[in-house]
Amino acid sequence: MIDPSICKERILSEDYFDFIISDIRTPFFSSIPLDNVCAQQAGNKYRCVYLPRIQVEPITLERFGYNSIPKCYTPTSMETMNQAGILPLQTYPTLQLTGKGVLIGFLDSGIDYQNSIFRNLDGTTRIAGIWDQTIQNDTPPENFSYGSEYTREMIDKALLMEDPLELVPSIDIDGHGTFTASLAAGSGNPSEAFLGAAPDSTIAVVKLKQAKQYLRNYYFIPEDAVCYQENDILLGLHYLDQLAKRLGLPLVYCLSVGTNAGGHVGSLPLPQLLNDYGASANRIPVIGTGNESDKRHHYYDEIPNDTTSQTVEIRVGENVPGFTMELWTSIPNILSISLTSPSGENTTRIPIRANASTTFNFLFEQTRVSIDYRLLVEKENSELIFFRFDNPSPGIWKVNVEPIRIIDGRYHIWLPVTEFINGEVFFLDSNPYYTITNPGNADCPITVSYYDGNTNAMVLASGRGFSRNEQIVPSITAPGINVKGALPNGRYAVRSGASISAAITSGATALLLEWSIYHLGYPSVDACQMKSLLILGAIRTPNVEFPNQEWGYGKLNLYNTFEIIRQI
């Protein structure tokens, strides 16, 4: 057993690289005695391990597998309660649902715990716990090796002090976490005409730390981008689960982060873990669809036969330092590729070698392109071709997709989310569908797109379904344009984005949980049951086929859910 202080140093050090492992391992991990490394349980079958840089460089999919390398996630943001049918249930005399007895957990940029909308009428806090992964001076949560936990008792004591930050120094710098929490769980502020969806719910917060520099370098993520590591998110989910168990409360996870990485079938560790929680009792994940539909970062086509090749064109602007890209197809399709640079320099067709890496140096462009083939992707029946373009020259890059074996010929290519691209990179012939960011492609969670509540129009940027294996996502849609919420230091603002609809739906789900457990007397429910109730009451526009890729099964209307149930 490694000393906790040593483990903490390794978790935070750039000299140690982070990995996510499960019971399915590559030969590299199987050869390491994991009893002698720093490891943390992340819930169910996942563990996060931290290995010396000198032992693991360079990072390749061939050595570590695809799922073991943490993906990077970014926040998905940037008259509503009436539009969602929430306000009538807060005030209905025989119901008065306010989220009482339900814990809502947020994994984000933190929370302004001093704000009155996160307090009870007597001034005490409604926050049961904050795990601030960015502060290392105080005590971590039990069974965790880094960050600092601030309990309800500590927060209440701090609120009585002249300077609360002396005792509880956790703050929300950019305001995204505070804004999201205010919409889902904020209590009323009459002077701002503001009220959150579940104003009497209990709140729990994980303030996520920023990703290590080596991962930013690996994915070419800009220095100023907000970027959270997948393993830190997994551990945050585990913390919230353990806190809910100690409190004896049902838990709604509010997830407002996303990435374009992965095969968009819910097979990454984060959506897999969310599926596990969603299938268990009283753990309900709610996820936004992201804002990628109009960003031209997705390409889709079908190769009709074994003799037809296709060309995919990518526009790269000036001064782009690098970017990654992922091509996915379902086995038994097998595809190969070659590349053509803007100057016309070609590679030959890259031969298929299972789980092998190839690097090309383009002489005239001074560009280095690394390509990993994966025919055995963990937890998928898929082929992955993973690209890293280092110092790409500006112009039109061509990916020549060549069939080796064709069944249905369908393939997809995703570029990173907008926040993770430094400069202009997009497909000339893009496709707006299959653009729900991960983890929104998981099966069990409630996945929510967003629309303009003032015009009832779908928003062009809202991530659209379905998943790559044609599972129906999003589940429903909710308001997400020009919505008012709280920011740190008592400020209020109007914002838009996928995180808005996720927050509103998280609050609505808390009301539904309160009703199911405390009014009907059901001791436990799962995410599929909650999803079904929300789908049941969703408002569906006449003459529109449902479910569809933009609206799912319709617009969130919690009041209508109760109306439908009453009539059955």
Side-chain angles (χ1 to χ4, degrees), residues 87-109:
L87 188 59
L89 294 178
Q90 293 175 343
T91 58
Y92 200 85
T94 57
L95 290 174
Q96 295 186 341
L97 298 177
T98 58
K100 192 174 181 64
V102 177
L103 181 67
I104 306 181
F106 302 91
L107 300 100
D108 214 306
S109 63

Side-chain angles (χ1 to χ4, degrees), residues 51 62 105 154 331 333 429 530:
L51 302 175
E62 181 181 3
M154 295 174 70
I331 301 293
N333 295 313
D429 187 16
M530 290 290 100

Side-chain angles (χ1 to χ4, degrees), residues 377-436:
V377 181
E378 307 93 306
K379 303 185 186 301
E380 289 209 34
N381 62 322
S382 301
E383 176 192 9
L384 163 65
I385 305 176
F386 182 83
F387 303 78
R388 293 184 76 252
F389 286 77
D390 192 347
N391 190 35
S393 62
I396 307 299
W397 285 82
K398 296 179 181 180
V399 179
N400 310 300
V401 183
E402 305 183 32
I404 303 299
R405 176 182 296 164
I406 293 297
I407 300 298
D408 61 23
R410 299 176 181 177
Y411 66 97
H412 299 258
I413 311 177
W414 283 277
L415 290 162
V417 293
T418 302
E419 292 81 358
F420 289 171
I421 298 179
N422 195 344
E424 177 187 68
V425 184
F426 60 86
F427 294 110
L428 293 185
D429 187 16
S430 61
N431 181 290
Y433 295 101
Y434 306 93
T435 52
I436 291 176

Side-chain angles (χ1 to χ4, degrees), residues 455-565:
T455 65
N456 283 320
M458 180 52 65
V459 180
L460 289 177
S462 176
R464 300 173 186 222
F466 296 127
S467 64
R468 185 169 61 87
N469 57 356
E470 304 301 331
Q471 295 299 306
I472 296 172
V473 284
S475 315
I476 54 173
T477 188
I481 295 295
N482 296 329
V483 178
K484 188 176 187 179
L487 292 172
N489 302 315
R491 296 174 293 128
Y492 284 78
V494 170
R495 289 186 174 180
S496 302
S499 60
I500 310 300
S501 59
I504 293 168
T505 305
S506 295
T509 302
L511 303 189
L512 204 52
L513 263 178
E514 178 189 5
W515 174 73
S516 299
I517 295 173
Y518 303 112
H519 288 248
L520 292 186
Y522 284 93
S524 60
V525 292
D526 61 31
C528 290
Q529 292 170 300
M530 290 290 100
K531 185 193 300 187
S532 296
L533 287 172
L534 292 175
I535 288 172
L536 193 65
I539 301 298
R540 287 174 272 279
T541 305
N543 303 318
V544 176
E545 183 178 348
F546 290 93
N548 64 53
Q549 292 166 300
E550 292 88 3
W551 302 85
Y553 285 94
K555 294 183 290 187
L556 169 68
N557 191 300
L558 193 58
Y559 182 78
N560 195 52
T561 293
F562 285 84
E563 281 288 297
I564 296 294
I565 293 173

Side-chain angles (χ1 to χ4, degrees), residues 26 56-66 69 218 337 339 349-361 368-376 383-388:
T26 65
V56 298
E57 281 191 317
I59 297 178
T60 65
L61 303 191
E62 181 181 3
R63 296 180 72 200
F64 302 111
Y66 179 70
I69 303 170
Y218 181 72
I337 62 100
L339 293 175
R349 187 176 81 180
I350 302 170
I352 295 291
R353 291 181 296 145
N355 306 330
S357 301
T358 306
T359 299
F360 293 95
N361 292 295
R368 179 185 176 92
V369 181
S370 301
I371 299 171
D372 282 274
Y373 276 115
R374 296 290 294 177
L375 287 177
L376 301 172
E383 176 192 9
L384 163 65
I385 305 176
F386 182 83
F387 303 78
R388 293 184 76 252

Side-chain angles (χ1 to χ4, degrees), residues 136-188:
Q136 312 306 328
N137 299 329
D138 294 312
T139 305
E142 186 178 1
N143 299 321
F144 294 85
S145 299
Y146 68 107
S148 300
E149 182 182 29
Y150 302 103
T151 63
R152 182 195 302 272
E153 294 72 24
M154 295 174 70
I155 297 171
D156 278 337
K157 187 175 179 180
L159 291 173
L160 297 175
M161 298 171 60
E162 183 176 346
D163 182 7
L165 297 181
E166 286 186 9
L167 180 61
V168 179
S170 183
I171 59 174
D172 180 10
I173 296 175
D174 72 18
H176 187 274
T178 297
F179 193 91
T180 302
S182 73
L183 294 178
S187 54

Side-chain angles (χ1 to χ4, degrees), residues 312-324:
V312 181
E313 296 182 316
I314 308 161
R315 167 65 183 174
V316 178
E318 300 281 348
N319 301 316
V320 174
F323 64 93
T324 60

